[in-house]
PDB file of all heavy atoms in Angstrom:
ATOM      1  N   HIS A 157       3.958  11.967  26.229  1.00  0.00           N
ATOM      2  CA  HIS A 157       5.144  11.346  25.816  1.00  0.00           C
ATOM      3  C   HIS A 157       6.334  12.023  26.498  1.00  0.00           C
ATOM      4  O   HIS A 157       6.697  13.110  26.162  1.00  0.00           O
ATOM      5  CB  HIS A 157       5.311  11.392  24.299  1.00  0.00           C
ATOM      6  CG  HIS A 157       6.493  10.715  23.772  1.00  0.00           C
ATOM      7  ND1 HIS A 157       7.130  11.049  22.560  1.00  0.00           N
ATOM      8  CD2 HIS A 157       7.165   9.609  24.207  1.00  0.00           C
ATOM      9  CE1 HIS A 157       8.134  10.229  22.317  1.00  0.00           C
ATOM     10  NE2 HIS A 157       8.181   9.359  23.274  1.00  0.00           N
ATOM     11  N   ASP A 158       6.879  11.400  27.607  1.00  0.00           N
ATOM     12  CA  ASP A 158       7.877  12.042  28.417  1.00  0.00           C
ATOM     13  C   ASP A 158       9.132  12.356  27.619  1.00  0.00           C
ATOM     14  O   ASP A 158       9.834  13.329  27.970  1.00  0.00           O
ATOM     15  CB  ASP A 158       8.203  11.176  29.564  1.00  0.00           C
ATOM     16  CG  ASP A 158       7.027  10.978  30.541  1.00  0.00           C
ATOM     17  OD1 ASP A 158       6.142  11.902  30.592  1.00  0.00           O
ATOM     18  OD2 ASP A 158       6.916   9.974  31.242  1.00  0.00           O
ATOM     19  N   ALA A 159       9.442  11.550  26.577  1.00  0.00           N
ATOM     20  CA  ALA A 159      10.665  11.781  25.852  1.00  0.00           C
ATOM     21  C   ALA A 159      10.445  12.730  24.652  1.00  0.00           C
ATOM     22  O   ALA A 159      11.268  12.719  23.641  1.00  0.00           O
ATOM     23  CB  ALA A 159      11.262  10.470  25.349  1.00  0.00           C
ATOM     24  N   LYS A 160       9.384  13.518  24.654  1.00  0.00           N
ATOM     25  CA  LYS A 160       9.017  14.329  23.497  1.00  0.00           C
ATOM     26  C   LYS A 160      10.136  15.310  23.088  1.00  0.00           C
ATOM     27  O   LYS A 160      10.709  15.974  23.945  1.00  0.00           O
ATOM     28  CB  LYS A 160       7.766  15.097  23.889  1.00  0.00           C
ATOM     29  CG  LYS A 160       7.352  16.141  22.815  1.00  0.00           C
ATOM     30  CD  LYS A 160       6.156  16.950  23.317  1.00  0.00           C
ATOM     31  CE  LYS A 160       5.813  18.054  22.323  1.00  0.00           C
ATOM     32  NZ  LYS A 160       4.553  18.809  22.742  1.00  0.00           N
ATOM     33  N   ILE A 161      10.361  15.322  21.816  1.00  0.00           N
ATOM     34  CA  ILE A 161      11.282  16.342  21.199  1.00  0.00           C
ATOM     35  C   ILE A 161      10.372  17.125  20.223  1.00  0.00           C
ATOM     36  O   ILE A 161       9.956  16.543  19.210  1.00  0.00           O
ATOM     37  CB  ILE A 161      12.485  15.666  20.437  1.00  0.00           C
ATOM     38  CG1 ILE A 161      13.321  14.850  21.425  1.00  0.00           C
ATOM     39  CG2 ILE A 161      13.333  16.751  19.789  1.00  0.00           C
ATOM     40  CD1 ILE A 161      14.422  14.115  20.773  1.00  0.00           C
ATOM     41  N   PRO A 162      10.185  18.407  20.427  1.00  0.00           N
ATOM     42  CA  PRO A 162       9.261  19.139  19.589  1.00  0.00           C
ATOM     43  C   PRO A 162       9.651  19.078  18.118  1.00  0.00           C
ATOM     44  O   PRO A 162      10.789  19.116  17.758  1.00  0.00           O
ATOM     45  CB  PRO A 162       9.340  20.543  20.130  1.00  0.00           C
ATOM     46  CG  PRO A 162       9.797  20.431  21.530  1.00  0.00           C
ATOM     47  CD  PRO A 162      10.705  19.192  21.523  1.00  0.00           C
ATOM     48  N   ALA A 163       8.656  18.987  17.254  1.00  0.00           N
ATOM     49  CA  ALA A 163       8.869  18.877  15.803  1.00  0.00           C
ATOM     50  C   ALA A 163       9.060  20.295  15.260  1.00  0.00           C
ATOM     51  O   ALA A 163       8.742  21.288  15.915  1.00  0.00           O
ATOM     52  CB  ALA A 163       7.682  18.197  15.106  1.00  0.00           C
ATOM     53  N   LYS A 164       9.612  20.371  14.033  1.00  0.00           N
ATOM     54  CA  LYS A 164       9.832  21.652  13.329  1.00  0.00           C
ATOM     55  C   LYS A 164       8.731  21.826  12.205  1.00  0.00           C
ATOM     56  O   LYS A 164       8.010  20.851  11.895  1.00  0.00           O
ATOM     57  CB  LYS A 164      11.181  21.636  12.701  1.00  0.00           C
ATOM     58  CG  LYS A 164      12.343  21.561  13.766  1.00  0.00           C
ATOM     59  CD  LYS A 164      13.704  21.396  13.073  1.00  0.00           C
ATOM     60  CE  LYS A 164      14.059  22.605  12.279  1.00  0.00           C
ATOM     61  NZ  LYS A 164      15.388  22.500  11.698  1.00  0.00           N
ATOM     62  N   TRP A 165       8.638  22.987  11.727  1.00  0.00           N
ATOM     63  CA  TRP A 165       7.692  23.231  10.629  1.00  0.00           C
ATOM     64  C   TRP A 165       8.124  22.593   9.350  1.00  0.00           C
ATOM     65  O   TRP A 165       7.358  22.019   8.612  1.00  0.00           O
ATOM     66  CB  TRP A 165       7.482  24.733  10.428  1.00  0.00           C
ATOM     67  CG  TRP A 165       6.550  25.314  11.423  1.00  0.00           C
ATOM     68  CD1 TRP A 165       6.852  26.062  12.525  1.00  0.00           C
ATOM     69  CD2 TRP A 165       5.130  25.272  11.444  1.00  0.00           C
ATOM     70  NE1 TRP A 165       5.724  26.464  13.238  1.00  0.00           N
ATOM     71  CE2 TRP A 165       4.637  25.972  12.555  1.00  0.00           C
ATOM     72  CE3 TRP A 165       4.202  24.624  10.581  1.00  0.00           C
ATOM     73  CZ2 TRP A 165       3.269  26.005  12.864  1.00  0.00           C
ATOM     74  CZ3 TRP A 165       2.829  24.688  10.882  1.00  0.00           C
ATOM     75  CH2 TRP A 165       2.410  25.456  11.996  1.00  0.00           C
ATOM     76  N   ILE A 166       9.444  22.642   9.085  1.00  0.00           N
ATOM     77  CA  ILE A 166      10.026  21.972   7.917  1.00  0.00           C
ATOM     78  C   ILE A 166      11.281  21.213   8.391  1.00  0.00           C
ATOM     79  O   ILE A 166      12.143  21.761   9.015  1.00  0.00           O
ATOM     80  CB  ILE A 166      10.395  23.014   6.790  1.00  0.00           C
ATOM     81  CG1 ILE A 166       9.152  23.718   6.332  1.00  0.00           C
ATOM     82  CG2 ILE A 166      11.095  22.309   5.663  1.00  0.00           C
ATOM     83  CD1 ILE A 166       9.494  24.780   5.285  1.00  0.00           C
ATOM     84  N   GLY A 167      11.348  19.912   8.042  1.00  0.00           N
ATOM     85  CA  GLY A 167      12.459  19.104   8.413  1.00  0.00           C
ATOM     86  C   GLY A 167      12.330  18.588   9.831  1.00  0.00           C
ATOM     87  O   GLY A 167      11.189  18.481  10.364  1.00  0.00           O
ATOM     88  N   ASN A 168      13.377  18.174  10.456  1.00  0.00           N
ATOM     89  CA  ASN A 168      13.344  17.566  11.747  1.00  0.00           C
ATOM     90  C   ASN A 168      14.499  18.083  12.626  1.00  0.00           C
ATOM     91  O   ASN A 168      15.441  18.623  12.099  1.00  0.00           O
ATOM     92  CB  ASN A 168      13.337  16.076  11.627  1.00  0.00           C
ATOM     93  CG  ASN A 168      14.505  15.565  10.810  1.00  0.00           C
ATOM     94  OD1 ASN A 168      15.676  15.579  11.223  1.00  0.00           O
ATOM     95  ND2 ASN A 168      14.214  15.208   9.593  1.00  0.00           N
ATOM     96  N   PRO A 169      14.435  17.859  13.944  1.00  0.00           N
ATOM     97  CA  PRO A 169      15.492  18.421  14.822  1.00  0.00           C
ATOM     98  C   PRO A 169      16.793  17.606  14.845  1.00  0.00           C
ATOM     99  O   PRO A 169      17.661  17.908  15.648  1.00  0.00           O
ATOM    100  CB  PRO A 169      14.821  18.309  16.215  1.00  0.00           C
ATOM    101  CG  PRO A 169      13.350  18.122  15.952  1.00  0.00           C
ATOM    102  CD  PRO A 169      13.291  17.318  14.724  1.00  0.00           C
ATOM    103  N   GLU A 170      16.949  16.601  14.019  1.00  0.00           N
ATOM    104  CA  GLU A 170      18.164  15.791  14.016  1.00  0.00           C
ATOM    105  C   GLU A 170      19.363  16.702  13.736  1.00  0.00           C
ATOM    106  O   GLU A 170      19.427  17.312  12.679  1.00  0.00           O
ATOM    107  CB  GLU A 170      18.037  14.704  12.958  1.00  0.00           C
ATOM    108  CG  GLU A 170      19.274  13.833  12.785  1.00  0.00           C
ATOM    109  CD  GLU A 170      19.695  13.106  14.029  1.00  0.00           C
ATOM    110  OE1 GLU A 170      18.835  12.461  14.619  1.00  0.00           O
ATOM    111  OE2 GLU A 170      20.870  13.272  14.475  1.00  0.00           O
ATOM    112  N   PRO A 171      20.385  16.739  14.597  1.00  0.00           N
ATOM    113  CA  PRO A 171      21.474  17.663  14.449  1.00  0.00           C
ATOM    114  C   PRO A 171      22.470  17.260  13.287  1.00  0.00           C
ATOM    115  O   PRO A 171      23.070  18.090  12.649  1.00  0.00           O
ATOM    116  CB  PRO A 171      22.210  17.646  15.776  1.00  0.00           C
ATOM    117  CG  PRO A 171      21.782  16.344  16.398  1.00  0.00           C
ATOM    118  CD  PRO A 171      20.439  16.034  15.899  1.00  0.00           C
ATOM    119  N   GLU A 172      22.606  15.978  12.991  1.00  0.00           N
ATOM    120  CA  GLU A 172      23.483  15.507  12.012  1.00  0.00           C
ATOM    121  C   GLU A 172      22.864  15.665  10.615  1.00  0.00           C
ATOM    122  O   GLU A 172      21.734  15.104  10.399  1.00  0.00           O
ATOM    123  CB  GLU A 172      23.999  14.078  12.217  1.00  0.00           C
ATOM    124  CG  GLU A 172      25.020  13.616  11.274  1.00  0.00           C
ATOM    125  CD  GLU A 172      25.513  12.215  11.572  1.00  0.00           C
ATOM    126  OE1 GLU A 172      25.317  11.769  12.689  1.00  0.00           O
ATOM    127  OE2 GLU A 172      26.058  11.553  10.622  1.00  0.00           O
ATOM    128  N   ALA A 173      23.494  16.306   9.672  1.00  0.00           N
ATOM    129  CA  ALA A 173      22.865  16.597   8.399  1.00  0.00           C
ATOM    130  C   ALA A 173      22.424  15.353   7.630  1.00  0.00           C
ATOM    131  O   ALA A 173      21.316  15.332   7.037  1.00  0.00           O
ATOM    132  CB  ALA A 173      23.807  17.484   7.555  1.00  0.00           C
ATOM    133  N   GLY A 174      23.291  14.379   7.596  1.00  0.00           N
ATOM    134  CA  GLY A 174      23.005  13.133   6.868  1.00  0.00           C
ATOM    135  C   GLY A 174      21.795  12.443   7.347  1.00  0.00           C
ATOM    136  O   GLY A 174      20.894  12.060   6.657  1.00  0.00           O
ATOM    137  N   LEU A 175      21.779  12.285   8.662  1.00  0.00           N
ATOM    138  CA  LEU A 175      20.635  11.638   9.380  1.00  0.00           C
ATOM    139  C   LEU A 175      19.381  12.431   9.159  1.00  0.00           C
ATOM    140  O   LEU A 175      18.252  11.862   8.908  1.00  0.00           O
ATOM    141  CB  LEU A 175      20.884  11.449  10.823  1.00  0.00           C
ATOM    142  CG  LEU A 175      21.789  10.295  11.285  1.00  0.00           C
ATOM    143  CD1 LEU A 175      22.078  10.346  12.770  1.00  0.00           C
ATOM    144  CD2 LEU A 175      21.050   8.958  10.919  1.00  0.00           C
ATOM    145  N   SER A 176      19.478  13.704   9.261  1.00  0.00           N
ATOM    146  CA  SER A 176      18.292  14.599   9.090  1.00  0.00           C
ATOM    147  C   SER A 176      17.735  14.469   7.707  1.00  0.00           C
ATOM    148  O   SER A 176      16.507  14.410   7.528  1.00  0.00           O
ATOM    149  CB  SER A 176      18.673  16.054   9.358  1.00  0.00           C
ATOM    150  OG  SER A 176      17.584  16.928   9.183  1.00  0.00           O
ATOM    151  N   LEU A 177      18.574  14.376   6.662  1.00  0.00           N
ATOM    152  CA  LEU A 177      18.076  14.275   5.314  1.00  0.00           C
ATOM    153  C   LEU A 177      17.416  12.930   5.086  1.00  0.00           C
ATOM    154  O   LEU A 177      16.375  12.858   4.433  1.00  0.00           O
ATOM    155  CB  LEU A 177      19.279  14.443   4.335  1.00  0.00           C
ATOM    156  CG  LEU A 177      18.946  14.354   2.842  1.00  0.00           C
ATOM    157  CD1 LEU A 177      17.977  15.500   2.475  1.00  0.00           C
ATOM    158  CD2 LEU A 177      20.226  14.451   2.054  1.00  0.00           C
ATOM    159  N   VAL A 178      17.955  11.866   5.618  1.00  0.00           N
ATOM    160  CA  VAL A 178      17.360  10.529   5.455  1.00  0.00           C
ATOM    161  C   VAL A 178      15.966  10.478   6.195  1.00  0.00           C
ATOM    162  O   VAL A 178      15.037   9.942   5.697  1.00  0.00           O
ATOM    163  CB  VAL A 178      18.303   9.452   6.002  1.00  0.00           C
ATOM    164  CG1 VAL A 178      17.567   8.034   5.999  1.00  0.00           C
ATOM    165  CG2 VAL A 178      19.534   9.350   5.155  1.00  0.00           C
ATOM    166  N   ARG A 179      15.950  11.074   7.369  1.00  0.00           N
ATOM    167  CA  ARG A 179      14.645  11.091   8.105  1.00  0.00           C
ATOM    168  C   ARG A 179      13.646  11.943   7.313  1.00  0.00           C
ATOM    169  O   ARG A 179      12.455  11.566   7.289  1.00  0.00           O
ATOM    170  CB  ARG A 179      14.867  11.721   9.515  1.00  0.00           C
ATOM    171  CG  ARG A 179      15.614  10.779  10.421  1.00  0.00           C
ATOM    172  CD  ARG A 179      15.683  11.359  11.874  1.00  0.00           C
ATOM    173  NE  ARG A 179      16.371  10.509  12.781  1.00  0.00           N
ATOM    174  CZ  ARG A 179      15.807   9.464  13.439  1.00  0.00           C
ATOM    175  NH1 ARG A 179      14.627   9.121  13.150  1.00  0.00           N
ATOM    176  NH2 ARG A 179      16.583   8.720  14.276  1.00  0.00           N
ATOM    177  N   LEU A 180      14.069  13.036   6.727  1.00  0.00           N
ATOM    178  CA  LEU A 180      13.180  13.807   5.886  1.00  0.00           C
ATOM    179  C   LEU A 180      12.651  12.994   4.727  1.00  0.00           C
ATOM    180  O   LEU A 180      11.448  13.054   4.396  1.00  0.00           O
ATOM    181  CB  LEU A 180      13.867  15.068   5.391  1.00  0.00           C
ATOM    182  CG  LEU A 180      13.139  15.958   4.391  1.00  0.00           C
ATOM    183  CD1 LEU A 180      11.862  16.516   5.085  1.00  0.00           C
ATOM    184  CD2 LEU A 180      13.993  17.107   3.927  1.00  0.00           C
ATOM    185  N   ALA A 181      13.535  12.228   4.138  1.00  0.00           N
ATOM    186  CA  ALA A 181      13.095  11.373   2.983  1.00  0.00           C
ATOM    187  C   ALA A 181      12.071  10.318   3.367  1.00  0.00           C
ATOM    188  O   ALA A 181      11.267   9.866   2.591  1.00  0.00           O
ATOM    189  CB  ALA A 181      14.302  10.720   2.340  1.00  0.00           C
ATOM    190  N   SER A 182      12.140   9.872   4.710  1.00  0.00           N
ATOM    191  CA  SER A 182      11.187   8.858   5.169  1.00  0.00           C
ATOM    192  C   SER A 182       9.782   9.372   5.066  1.00  0.00           C
ATOM    193  O   SER A 182       8.827   8.576   4.876  1.00  0.00           O
ATOM    194  CB  SER A 182      11.543   8.436   6.565  1.00  0.00           C
ATOM    195  OG  SER A 182      11.360   9.482   7.505  1.00  0.00           O
ATOM    196  N   GLY A 183       9.571  10.660   5.213  1.00  0.00           N
ATOM    197  CA  GLY A 183       8.193  11.218   5.099  1.00  0.00           C
ATOM    198  C   GLY A 183       7.751  11.053   3.669  1.00  0.00           C
ATOM    199  O   GLY A 183       6.492  10.831   3.484  1.00  0.00           O
ATOM    200  N   CYS A 184       8.551  11.161   2.732  1.00  0.00           N
ATOM    201  CA  CYS A 184       8.221  10.982   1.329  1.00  0.00           C
ATOM    202  C   CYS A 184       7.819   9.546   1.011  1.00  0.00           C
ATOM    203  O   CYS A 184       6.849   9.256   0.290  1.00  0.00           O
ATOM    204  CB  CYS A 184       9.361  11.399   0.400  1.00  0.00           C
ATOM    205  SG  CYS A 184       8.984  11.325  -1.345  1.00  0.00           S
ATOM    206  N   THR A 185       8.522   8.568   1.619  1.00  0.00           N
ATOM    207  CA  THR A 185       8.212   7.196   1.395  1.00  0.00           C
ATOM    208  C   THR A 185       6.826   6.857   1.866  1.00  0.00           C
ATOM    209  O   THR A 185       6.070   6.200   1.135  1.00  0.00           O
ATOM    210  CB  THR A 185       9.206   6.297   2.175  1.00  0.00           C
ATOM    211  OG1 THR A 185      10.531   6.486   1.652  1.00  0.00           O
ATOM    212  CG2 THR A 185       8.902   4.812   2.079  1.00  0.00           C
ATOM    213  N   ILE A 186       6.447   7.342   3.016  1.00  0.00           N
ATOM    214  CA  ILE A 186       5.086   7.059   3.546  1.00  0.00           C
ATOM    215  C   ILE A 186       3.985   7.731   2.674  1.00  0.00           C
ATOM    216  O   ILE A 186       2.992   7.089   2.421  1.00  0.00           O
ATOM    217  CB  ILE A 186       4.997   7.449   4.989  1.00  0.00           C
ATOM    218  CG1 ILE A 186       5.901   6.637   5.874  1.00  0.00           C
ATOM    219  CG2 ILE A 186       3.532   7.383   5.510  1.00  0.00           C
ATOM    220  CD1 ILE A 186       6.219   7.139   7.217  1.00  0.00           C
ATOM    221  N   SER A 187       4.278   8.926   2.215  1.00  0.00           N
ATOM    222  CA  SER A 187       3.350   9.588   1.334  1.00  0.00           C
ATOM    223  C   SER A 187       3.224   8.814   0.004  1.00  0.00           C
ATOM    224  O   SER A 187       2.113   8.687  -0.580  1.00  0.00           O
ATOM    225  CB  SER A 187       3.757  11.009   1.042  1.00  0.00           C
ATOM    226  OG  SER A 187       3.804  11.787   2.190  1.00  0.00           O
ATOM    227  N   ALA A 188       4.326   8.257  -0.506  1.00  0.00           N
ATOM    228  CA  ALA A 188       4.316   7.559  -1.785  1.00  0.00           C
ATOM    229  C   ALA A 188       3.522   6.313  -1.727  1.00  0.00           C
ATOM    230  O   ALA A 188       2.729   6.022  -2.595  1.00  0.00           O
ATOM    231  CB  ALA A 188       5.771   7.253  -2.226  1.00  0.00           C
ATOM    232  N   TRP A 189       3.689   5.503  -0.613  1.00  0.00           N
ATOM    233  CA  TRP A 189       2.971   4.253  -0.620  1.00  0.00           C
ATOM    234  C   TRP A 189       1.516   4.434  -0.129  1.00  0.00           C
ATOM    235  O   TRP A 189       0.706   3.484  -0.286  1.00  0.00           O
ATOM    236  CB  TRP A 189       3.723   3.186   0.199  1.00  0.00           C
ATOM    237  CG  TRP A 189       3.145   2.814   1.587  1.00  0.00           C
ATOM    238  CD1 TRP A 189       1.966   2.273   1.839  1.00  0.00           C
ATOM    239  CD2 TRP A 189       3.836   2.887   2.810  1.00  0.00           C
ATOM    240  NE1 TRP A 189       1.795   2.028   3.176  1.00  0.00           N
ATOM    241  CE2 TRP A 189       2.963   2.414   3.790  1.00  0.00           C
ATOM    242  CE3 TRP A 189       5.138   3.328   3.254  1.00  0.00           C
ATOM    243  CZ2 TRP A 189       3.278   2.328   5.201  1.00  0.00           C
ATOM    244  CZ3 TRP A 189       5.410   3.272   4.565  1.00  0.00           C
ATOM    245  CH2 TRP A 189       4.500   2.781   5.509  1.00  0.00           C
ATOM    246  N   ALA A 190       1.132   5.648   0.302  1.00  0.00           N
ATOM    247  CA  ALA A 190      -0.251   5.919   0.611  1.00  0.00           C
ATOM    248  C   ALA A 190      -1.113   6.036  -0.626  1.00  0.00           C
ATOM    249  O   ALA A 190      -2.357   5.997  -0.519  1.00  0.00           O
ATOM    250  CB  ALA A 190      -0.406   7.137   1.477  1.00  0.00           C
ATOM    251  N   PHE A 191      -0.497   6.259  -1.784  1.00  0.00           N
ATOM    252  CA  PHE A 191      -1.274   6.356  -3.044  1.00  0.00           C
ATOM    253  C   PHE A 191      -1.101   5.100  -3.816  1.00  0.00           C
ATOM    254  O   PHE A 191      -0.286   4.223  -3.513  1.00  0.00           O
ATOM    255  CB  PHE A 191      -0.839   7.612  -3.838  1.00  0.00           C
ATOM    256  CG  PHE A 191      -1.982   8.271  -4.479  1.00  0.00           C
ATOM    257  CD1 PHE A 191      -3.103   8.681  -3.753  1.00  0.00           C
ATOM    258  CD2 PHE A 191      -2.020   8.550  -5.878  1.00  0.00           C
ATOM    259  CE1 PHE A 191      -4.184   9.316  -4.332  1.00  0.00           C
ATOM    260  CE2 PHE A 191      -3.089   9.197  -6.479  1.00  0.00           C
ATOM    261  CZ  PHE A 191      -4.127   9.504  -5.706  1.00  0.00           C
ATOM    262  N   VAL A 192      -1.823   4.948  -4.938  1.00  0.00           N
ATOM    263  CA  VAL A 192      -1.942   3.613  -5.572  1.00  0.00           C
ATOM    264  C   VAL A 192      -1.243   3.610  -6.940  1.00  0.00           C
ATOM    265  O   VAL A 192      -1.156   4.651  -7.564  1.00  0.00           O
ATOM    266  CB  VAL A 192      -3.421   3.254  -5.805  1.00  0.00           C
ATOM    267  CG1 VAL A 192      -4.158   3.204  -4.487  1.00  0.00           C
ATOM    268  CG2 VAL A 192      -4.112   4.238  -6.707  1.00  0.00           C
ATOM    269  N   PRO A 193      -0.838   2.425  -7.389  1.00  0.00           N
ATOM    270  CA  PRO A 193      -0.227   2.296  -8.705  1.00  0.00           C
ATOM    271  C   PRO A 193      -1.269   2.421  -9.800  1.00  0.00           C
ATOM    272  O   PRO A 193      -2.457   2.166  -9.658  1.00  0.00           O
ATOM    273  CB  PRO A 193       0.395   0.894  -8.692  1.00  0.00           C
ATOM    274  CG  PRO A 193      -0.380   0.171  -7.663  1.00  0.00           C
ATOM    275  CD  PRO A 193      -0.844   1.138  -6.651  1.00  0.00           C
ATOM    276  N   ALA A 194      -0.762   2.829 -11.014  1.00  0.00           N
ATOM    277  CA  ALA A 194      -1.671   3.071 -12.138  1.00  0.00           C
ATOM    278  C   ALA A 194      -2.452   1.832 -12.555  1.00  0.00           C
ATOM    279  O   ALA A 194      -3.547   1.871 -13.035  1.00  0.00           O
ATOM    280  CB  ALA A 194      -0.880   3.645 -13.323  1.00  0.00           C
ATOM    281  N   PHE A 195      -1.802   0.683 -12.400  1.00  0.00           N
ATOM    282  CA  PHE A 195      -2.465  -0.613 -12.817  1.00  0.00           C
ATOM    283  C   PHE A 195      -3.790  -0.765 -12.096  1.00  0.00           C
ATOM    284  O   PHE A 195      -4.759  -1.249 -12.665  1.00  0.00           O
ATOM    285  CB  PHE A 195      -1.507  -1.781 -12.557  1.00  0.00           C
ATOM    286  CG  PHE A 195      -1.932  -3.055 -13.166  1.00  0.00           C
ATOM    287  CD1 PHE A 195      -2.642  -3.055 -14.381  1.00  0.00           C
ATOM    288  CD2 PHE A 195      -1.631  -4.257 -12.583  1.00  0.00           C
ATOM    289  CE1 PHE A 195      -2.986  -4.208 -14.984  1.00  0.00           C
ATOM    290  CE2 PHE A 195      -1.993  -5.463 -13.179  1.00  0.00           C
ATOM    291  CZ  PHE A 195      -2.688  -5.446 -14.355  1.00  0.00           C
TER     292      PHE A 195
END
Side-chain angles (χ1 to χ4, degrees):
H157 184 206
D158 293 336
K160 173 182 176 180
I161 300 176
K164 299 173 65 176
W165 280 102
I166 298 177
N168 53 75
E170 176 60 52
E172 186 177 339
L175 279 174
S176 179
L177 182 61
V178 173
R179 289 187 180 278
L180 175 62
S182 66
C184 183
T185 296
I186 293 164
S187 299
W189 108 60
F191 217 55
V192 300
F195 191 32

